[in-house]
Amino acid sequence: MEMNGVQRLDSGRIGGNQNGTGAAAGRADQPAFDRLLQERAREGLNFSKHAAKRMNERGIAVDSQLMSDLEHAVDGARKKGARDVAVIGAQGVFIVNVPNNTVVTTMSQSDMKERVFTNIDSAVIL
């Protein structure tokens, strides 16, 4: 229905439960949401602007093998319930926010000597 040039929504469609929608249908959509999250996780890792800048500054090159190793490490950490993981390998350390599938910062091997990592709950060694 249109009134004074403004589209008015049918009140039955806003929070109503006339067509079997509502809390019960919301629970039925939950598996679809879980599938969407899993698909998003399989799209590959993203690199934050900060991480990309650090990689450039520290001369860390990411090839297809390293990317595959990182994705596999993050997937394993995700299955164990990790939220923020330090992936430690020969190229350096990659701090990854697992729910967002994003590398948030990196360190080269030379930067790691006597460093302390905070705000992580897991570590994976490549």
Side-chain angles (χ1 to χ4, degrees):
M1 171 183 214
E2 190 172 324
M3 179 180 242
N4 296 333
V6 177
Q7 185 77 22
R8 183 175 165 195
L9 297 175
D10 179 30
S11 62
R13 292 190 302 181
I14 301 174
N17 200 12
Q18 294 176 347
N19 295 325
T21 60
R27 284 190 296 271
D29 290 341
Q30 188 63 33
F33 181 72
D34 290 341
R35 278 194 306 273
L36 180 63
L37 283 177
Q38 290 299 322
E39 287 171 12
R40 174 81 170 112
R42 284 186 282 241
E43 288 178 8
L45 289 176
N46 300 307
F47 289 81
S48 70
K49 288 180 184 180
H50 176 78
K53 180 180 175 185
R54 292 293 179 249
M55 288 172 56
N56 189 34
E57 290 173 354
R58 295 170 174 156
I60 301 170
V62 177
D63 60 10
S64 61
Q65 182 60 48
L66 176 58
M67 193 65 172
S68 176
D69 291 345
L70 287 171
E71 289 172 349
H72 182 72
V74 171
D75 188 47
R78 178 179 289 109
K79 289 176 182 174
K80 296 286 187 172
R83 296 192 50 81
D84 293 292
V85 63
V87 181
I88 305 166
Q91 297 83 352
V93 176
F94 298 82
I95 307 297
V96 182
N97 179 269
V98 176
N100 292 330
N101 221 35
T102 302
V103 177
V104 294
T105 195
T106 63
M107 288 182 140
S108 66
Q109 284 288 350
S110 61
D111 293 327
M112 289 193 306
K113 292 182 174 44
E114 299 184 52
R115 297 290 183 165
V116 175
F117 299 104
T118 60
N119 297 327
I120 64 168
D121 58 23
S122 303
V124 177
I125 299 173
L126 296 177

